[in-house]
Amino acid sequence: MKEKPKAYLMETRVVIWDVEQGRKIYSEGFFGKPMGIYKPKTPEFDVPLVLDLIEAAYLLEKGRIEVIDQAGRPVSLEDLFKYAKRTYTLFEEKYRVYKDLRDAGYVVISGLKFGSAFAVYKKGPGLEHAPYIVDVMDRNEEIGSTE
C-alpha cells in the first residue's frame, strides 16, 4: 500500500512539502494552491502545495493525506477540527457545506475575493468562470438588502 502524502500543519494552513505528492493531490480536484503561484495553469509546478484547513480536513477525512503537527505527531480529524474552530469563523458549518459540494462532484475553492465563503465550479478554475458563489452564515444572522 502506497504511503499517504504527509501534510504539515502550519498555523492556519497545511503544507505538502513533497512537490510530487502536492501535484498529485492538486490534480485530483484542484485542491490547494501551489506556493507563490496565484493562478496555476497546470499541475506541473515545482513548489509545495498549500491547503486551507477546510481542504485539509476533507482530504484527511477521505484518507487521502496524513496531517502532521509541528512536533511531528499525526493529527486526527477530531483534533484538526478543534484546532480549526479556534481560528476559523463558522468552521464546522463551512466544512459541512464544502463537504456536501465536493461529494456532489463540484470543485470548491475559497470565495474570499468574491466576498463569500466559496467559489464553486463544475469543471474547475481556469477552465470556466465560477458558476456559483456560496456563502455560509450563522442561522441567527440577518440578511440585509445591501449584503
Side-chain angles (χ1 to χ4, degrees):
M1 184 165 136
K2 195 169 184 179
E3 192 173 307
K4 295 176 194 171
K6 288 187 177 9
Y8 295 86
L9 181 60
M10 306 189 75
E11 297 184 22
T12 60
R13 299 283 183 245
V14 177
V15 180
I16 299 175
W17 293 102
D18 182 289
V19 173
E20 288 299 318
Q21 290 180 336
R23 284 180 187 162
K24 185 173 183 335
I25 291 294
Y26 180 82
S27 69
E28 292 173 349
F30 297 95
F31 291 100
K33 290 264 193 241
M35 191 177 286
I37 301 174
Y38 178 65
K39 288 187 175 183
K41 302 291 184 216
T42 71
E44 299 305 313
F45 47 83
D46 292 318
V47 295
L49 185 69
V50 181
L51 301 168
D52 178 270
L53 291 174
I54 286 179
E55 293 173 309
Y58 181 80
L59 292 167
L60 181 60
E61 183 176 347
K62 295 295 182 183
R64 293 172 63 190
I65 62 170
E66 178 181 0
V67 176
I68 308 295
D69 69 13
Q70 292 182 356
R73 297 178 303 244
V75 176
S76 69
L77 183 61
E78 180 182 341
D79 287 341
L80 186 58
F81 262 74
K82 286 178 189 175
Y83 178 82
K85 285 168 45 176
R86 291 193 304 261
T87 61
Y88 207 117
T89 304
L90 297 174
F91 179 80
E92 285 187 88
E93 293 84 351
K94 289 177 181 176
Y95 180 76
R96 282 195 300 269
V97 171
Y98 178 91
K99 182 180 180 207
D100 284 349
L101 290 166
R102 277 286 185 175
D103 287 349
Y106 291 99
V107 174
V108 184
I109 65 169
S110 170
L112 186 62
K113 74 177 184 177
F114 302 111
S116 65
F118 306 115
V120 181
Y121 299 83
K122 293 177 183 176
K123 297 175 188 170
L127 302 175
E128 64 180 327
H129 290 290
Y132 309 107
I133 301 300
V134 176
D135 209 359
V136 179
M137 301 171 63
D138 182 272
R139 70 174 52 213
N140 297 320
E141 194 172 342
E142 291 187 27
I143 300 173
S145 60
T146 59
E147 294 178 15

